[in-house]
Amino acid sequence: MSLTSQIKEFALDIGYSKVGIIPADSFPEYIDELTNRNEMYAFYINSPNRPLVSAEPRSVMPSAKSIITMVYDYSQKSFPKKFTDVMGRVYQARAYNAPPEHTNGARKQLMREFLSKIGCKVGENIILPERLVAAKAGIVNYGRNNFVYADGIGSFIFLTSFIVDQELEYDQPTVEVGCPDGCSACMKACPTGAIYEPHKINPTRCITFNTNFTQDGMAGSYIQPEMREKMGTKVYGCDICQEVCPRNQARVKGKLPDDEYLLNAEKEFSLAKMLNMTDDFYQRRIYPLMYNYIKDRKYLQRNAAIALGNLGDPEFIPDLTVAMKNQEGLVRGYAAWALGRIGSQQAYQVLQECLTQETSVFVRKELEEALVAIQSISGID
Ligand code: SF4
Ligand code: SF4
């Protein structure tokens, strides 16, 4: 059996759904795309992933000859609505860059070990443009929402690739849009208008960016009030433009087996618990699902405060009042915003009391704006 066949068979055997292989050439179209939209992508271009460097694989691995890319289908089981309302499916499936001690991380580790065993040198820490790699290898094509779709599955897929120093047999590209003519359901459904033309997303307007990348040391922790309102109840990623897609309906509406792990987790989960989470709740119910981008729980608590504010239900005023005592100014500031969004005499009193004691400039500003918001809606003075 050829090296190529051995690699593909092994990948399929351990649970990947599709495998393709391309030469380890540069990706000039990707470099152009990122540099032409430098303003929108600065947060990523300047990140430790160094995407512009990795887009020229031989500049970081001179012996690179081939790239092996694989599709993992993470929508084989169903997702509880309580979670899809607040979190992307890829995180619920524990599929996004999973650590090696979990199944999805162990699969990647097995693949790496197999490649080494059959004599391939495997590149380390080279972050490739996975969607373009997979399209060039013929295992996916594009949707106008910028996601990629694998035949028979849809876009709820996670892509993994390896660069190796062996010449292999290469596949034919499918770098094309596979959407039905005239469809623009994803663009219409996006709450923020982030998909500003087919196949073009402004990442800074995407809810996923605003839940996951708005951290100090990344894009800064401040989220504009206008964006907070559009985030709805999302606290970690957003699937809206994939959920509405006709190409995903078999998975979105189909009857899939339950994921017992998620059913257990959802019984305990609530946004209010997330807002004022204990160490135990964080370790057991939040971290196993939301570990990828956010390492400091204050950002998760901020997102939960925004979501509760958007729900607008006065029943959350006591939870937000507790959050106003949080030691993190970030959490207090967004809890203040949420109280202002919910409104009512009760919320107004809480905000006024907090303002008498608050010393943080950021939180005081949020408190004052929240008080004005309630005054302007209800006339409370
Ligand atoms: S993930 Fe959500 S916010 Fe981002 S483009 Fe899709 S629908 Fe819009
Ligand atoms: S919603 Fe329509 S246009 Fe958007 S990705 Fe799906 S098929 Fe393509």
Side-chain angles (χ1 to χ4, degrees), residues 143-146 182-201 240-242 244-245:
R144 295 189 184 104
N145 56 7
N146 224 34
C183 183
S184 57
C186 50
M187 298 174 71
K188 289 181 189 138
C190 175
T192 63
I195 313 171
Y196 60 93
E197 62 182 71
H199 203 204
K200 290 256 191 288
I201 284 187
I240 293 170
C241 59
Q242 296 181 85
V244 299
C245 177

Side-chain angles (χ1 to χ4, degrees), residues 73-368:
D73 169 6
Y74 64 74
S75 60
Q76 298 172 58
K77 291 185 178 175
S78 62
F79 298 95
K81 182 173 178 330
K82 197 197 244 184
F83 280 149
T84 52
D85 283 347
V86 301
M87 192 186 343
R89 285 166 175 75
V90 68
Y91 312 115
Q92 294 180 58
R94 290 87 75 204
Y96 197 93
N97 290 341
E101 62 270 24
H102 290 274
T103 308
N104 292 316
R107 184 180 302 104
K108 183 176 178 185
Q109 191 63 24
L110 273 178
M111 192 71 208
R112 176 180 285 280
E113 285 165 12
F114 176 77
L115 291 170
S116 296
K117 203 166 79 187
I118 60 172
C120 296
K121 182 180 172 207
V122 184
E124 301 267 3
N125 303 321
I126 306 172
I127 310 293
L128 292 165
E130 300 284 4
R131 294 176 190 177
L132 180 58
V133 168
K136 285 192 161 195
I139 56 173
V140 299
N141 61 48
Y142 283 96
R144 295 189 184 104
N145 56 7
N146 224 34
F147 286 91
V148 288
Y149 289 71
D151 281 351
I153 303 173
S155 67
F156 296 122
I157 54 176
F158 187 71
L159 301 171
T160 301
S161 62
F162 290 103
I163 306 192
V164 297
D165 66 345
Q166 298 287 323
E167 199 101 33
L168 299 168
E169 295 154 43
Y170 301 123
D171 292 295
Q172 291 302 310
T174 48
V175 186
E176 60 206 20
V177 172
C179 301
D181 287 346
C183 183
S184 57
C186 50
M187 298 174 71
K188 289 181 189 138
C190 175
T192 63
I195 313 171
Y196 60 93
E197 62 182 71
H199 203 204
K200 290 256 191 288
I201 284 187
N202 179 347
T204 62
R205 289 206 60 79
C206 177
I207 290 171
T208 299
F209 172 93
N210 281 283
T211 56
N212 296 3
F213 287 87
T214 44
Q215 301 177 50
D216 296 319
M218 293 173 88
S221 65
Y222 187 71
I223 302 175
Q224 297 289 344
E226 171 254 349
M227 180 57 66
R228 298 177 202 172
E229 292 182 14
K230 293 190 162 127
M231 288 164 72
T233 56
K234 305 296 184 200
V235 294
Y236 206 80
C238 164
D239 281 348
I240 293 170
C241 59
Q242 296 181 85
E243 282 165 353
V244 299
C245 177
R247 303 176 71 187
N248 278 334
Q249 291 314 297
R251 293 301 174 92
V252 172
K253 297 212 172 118
K255 178 70 191 142
L256 302 172
D258 288 338
D259 182 332
E260 296 289 340
Y261 177 89
L262 289 179
L263 290 181
N264 282 339
E266 75 151 350
K267 278 185 208 143
E268 278 186 64
F269 179 83
S270 75
L271 288 169
K273 271 191 187 172
M274 187 172 168
L275 173 68
N276 294 311
M277 61 184 139
T278 61
D279 290 349
D280 175 64
F281 186 70
Y282 174 68
Q283 290 300 339
R284 284 188 311 106
R285 291 300 177 225
I286 301 296
Y287 180 76
L289 301 173
M290 301 184 228
Y291 60 84
N292 306 284
Y293 288 108
I294 299 179
K295 311 293 180 205
D296 186 330
R297 68 177 84 176
K298 69 183 176 188
Y299 302 111
L300 294 162
Q301 292 172 293
R302 171 201 60 191
N303 295 351
I306 293 172
L308 290 173
N310 286 331
L311 283 171
D313 191 329
E315 83 168 90
F316 299 122
I317 291 174
D319 301 299
L320 290 160
T321 305
V322 172
M324 288 305 307
K325 297 186 179 67
N326 194 287
Q327 61 177 9
E328 293 288 350
L330 187 82
V331 179
R332 299 198 302 278
Y334 284 81
W337 176 83
L339 285 163
R341 184 129 168 88
I342 291 171
S344 81
Q345 181 75 48
Q346 189 189 357
Y348 192 82
Q349 272 172 3
V350 174
L351 290 164
Q352 272 194 319
E353 279 168 31
C354 290
L355 188 58
T356 60
Q357 293 156 21
E358 183 61 58
T359 55
S360 154
V361 173
F362 162 70
V363 183
R364 287 190 68 84
K365 185 164 177 289
E366 291 290 340
L367 283 163
E368 284 159 2

